[in-house]
Amino acid sequence: MRYGPVCRLPGWVLGVRLLRVSLVVILVLLLVAGALTMFLPNNKDNKLLPSRREARTQGRSSLDSFTLVMQTYNRTDLLLRLLNHYQAVPHLHQVIVVWNNVGEKTPEELWNSLGPHPIPVVFKRQVTNRMRNRLQAFPELETSAVFMVDDDMLISAQDLVFAFSVWQQFPDQIVGFVPRKHVSTASGVYSYGGFELQTPGSGDGDQYSMVLIGASFFSSKYLDLFQRQPAAVHTLIDETQNCDDIAMNFLVARHIGKASGLFVKPVNMGSLEKESSGGHPGLWHRAEHFLQRSHCVNKLARIYDGMPLQYSNLMVSQFGFPYANHRSKV
């Protein structure tokens, strides 16, 4: 078998061709790399990213979450228990503890030593023990919604999540778990009480005109508005160490021109007062408590030159929304 002549190229020719191919490959890679860098953020964008993330976080916290405000006095044992409970509630952004034990150390160091905790807790030391300390426009507030709760009240996460969803639909009202009412007597003097209180012959026992703020959601704007109320309102609260919740219902009713609150029927809510070792009973145990509150209703009506509170018989329930003409022992 014969083979044709084989053409062999000099080595330097093969080297030149290989060099050309390599240069082409390198050039292509450089072009691709240059194109990809167009999709990378520049230094300016890198600086803006944290602020954008912060803005998104603030937006979420403002609209989709709430701040819990709890005022406490001589109930450190209950405070720690309740802080642990409320840490697990969805949508909670922050807790503000209004510390009314003037001159005493807060449990902040103990609380932090047992962390980490999912929700930040801010302890606000007070210089005087006043009921209305909890109604300050706290600079730490970052949410539109405030959930204010007494320092002996244990409310289930299920109830809080549901009530918060109701408040999101009615953000101009106080949405809470404890309704109260006022009635006018024949002499024109107002009385304060619960559902058992009714105007003679009216059959209005299922109506309410207030929702107490010690277990309720309301807009943080009302804390700012409270600071601008007549000095006589603040003096009344300080003199009685009572009635700040009644004053807030007057404020909201005057501001919106309708019923100040919306009652949400709780499923699982109770008081831990008897379990406290602090030995400080709630204000409602005082013999003059309800008399003081009737006095406050009449005094506030004179301060504001009229009665802004309006009646409602709506109750929002997780098992039916809404319905009226209810009876309740809350």
Side-chain angles (χ1 to χ4, degrees), residues 123-313:
F123 290 85
K124 301 288 290 184
R125 295 177 178 86
Q126 304 301 302
V127 296
T128 56
N129 178 19
R130 295 189 303 194
M131 174 61 69
R132 64 184 174 98
N133 284 344
R134 61 181 176 174
L135 295 180
Q136 299 173 67
F138 299 102
E140 294 85 359
L141 269 173
E142 298 174 341
T143 62
S144 297
V146 171
F147 177 69
M148 190 160 287
V149 64
D150 291 341
D151 61 350
D152 62 351
M153 192 67 68
L154 183 68
I155 306 172
S156 72
Q158 176 188 9
D159 282 314
L160 289 179
V161 170
F162 177 71
F164 180 52
S165 70
V166 175
W167 178 86
Q168 288 177 311
Q169 304 302 313
F170 303 94
D172 59 340
Q173 292 177 283
I174 302 170
V175 175
F177 301 105
V178 185
R180 290 293 183 263
K181 69 189 299 183
H182 74 288
V183 296
S184 179
T185 62
S187 62
V189 177
Y190 297 107
S191 291
Y192 167 93
F195 283 129
E196 72 282 356
L197 188 69
Q198 53 185 306
T199 304
S202 68
D204 62 353
D206 59 348
Q207 293 187 337
Y208 59 92
S209 58
M210 291 169 270
V211 172
L212 303 190
I213 62 173
S216 70
F217 288 91
F218 56 85
S219 172
S220 59
K221 69 182 180 182
Y222 292 133
L223 296 177
D224 293 300
L225 192 57
F226 180 78
Q227 313 310 314
R228 302 195 295 272
Q229 296 308 293
V233 174
H234 297 165
T235 300
L236 174 65
I237 297 170
D238 293 342
E239 289 177 347
T240 60
Q241 278 288 65
N242 203 337
C243 305
D244 62 332
D245 47 2
I246 298 176
M248 279 292 282
N249 276 269
F250 268 72
L251 180 157
V252 173
R254 281 171 48 85
H255 185 71
I256 64 178
K258 58 183 179 181
S260 59
L262 186 59
F263 171 39
V264 174
K265 178 70 174 179
V267 175
N268 188 1
M269 182 180 79
S271 173
L272 302 179
E273 181 184 20
K274 294 181 180 180
E275 301 182 30
S276 174
S277 62
H280 183 72
L283 295 176
W284 67 276
H285 288 292
R286 298 184 304 190
E288 71 275 17
H289 176 68
F290 280 91
L291 287 175
Q292 276 188 337
R293 293 174 78 78
S294 291
H295 167 73
C296 288
V297 170
N298 286 281
K299 183 75 171 180
L300 289 168
R302 291 195 295 271
I303 292 173
Y304 288 114
D305 194 25
M307 171 53 70
L309 298 178
Q310 299 185 31
Y311 292 105
S312 174
N313 63 351

Side-chain angles (χ1 to χ4, degrees), residues 81-157:
R81 178 177 173 181
L82 291 172
L83 287 178
N84 183 69
H85 166 72
Y86 289 122
Q87 287 274 310
V89 176
H91 308 296
L92 179 60
H93 175 67
Q94 184 179 221
V95 176
I96 296 177
V97 175
V98 184
W99 183 255
N100 268 7
N101 284 59
V102 178
E104 295 184 18
K105 185 179 179 181
T106 73
E108 182 175 10
E109 183 177 342
L110 173 61
W111 174 258
N112 291 334
S113 70
L114 298 175
H117 304 290
I119 302 298
V121 176
V122 177
F123 290 85
K124 301 288 290 184
R125 295 177 178 86
Q126 304 301 302
V127 296
T128 56
N129 178 19
R130 295 189 303 194
M131 174 61 69
R132 64 184 174 98
N133 284 344
R134 61 181 176 174
L135 295 180
Q136 299 173 67
F138 299 102
E140 294 85 359
L141 269 173
E142 298 174 341
T143 62
S144 297
V146 171
F147 177 69
M148 190 160 287
V149 64
D150 291 341
D151 61 350
D152 62 351
M153 192 67 68
L154 183 68
I155 306 172
S156 72

Side-chain angles (χ1 to χ4, degrees), residues 60-80:
R60 285 196 299 270
S61 67
S62 177
L63 300 176
D64 302 326
S65 59
F66 62 91
T67 299
L68 187 150
V69 176
M70 183 190 300
Q71 181 163 280
T72 187
Y73 178 74
N74 279 357
R75 286 178 174 170
T76 303
D77 54 339
L78 290 188
L79 171 65
L80 295 174

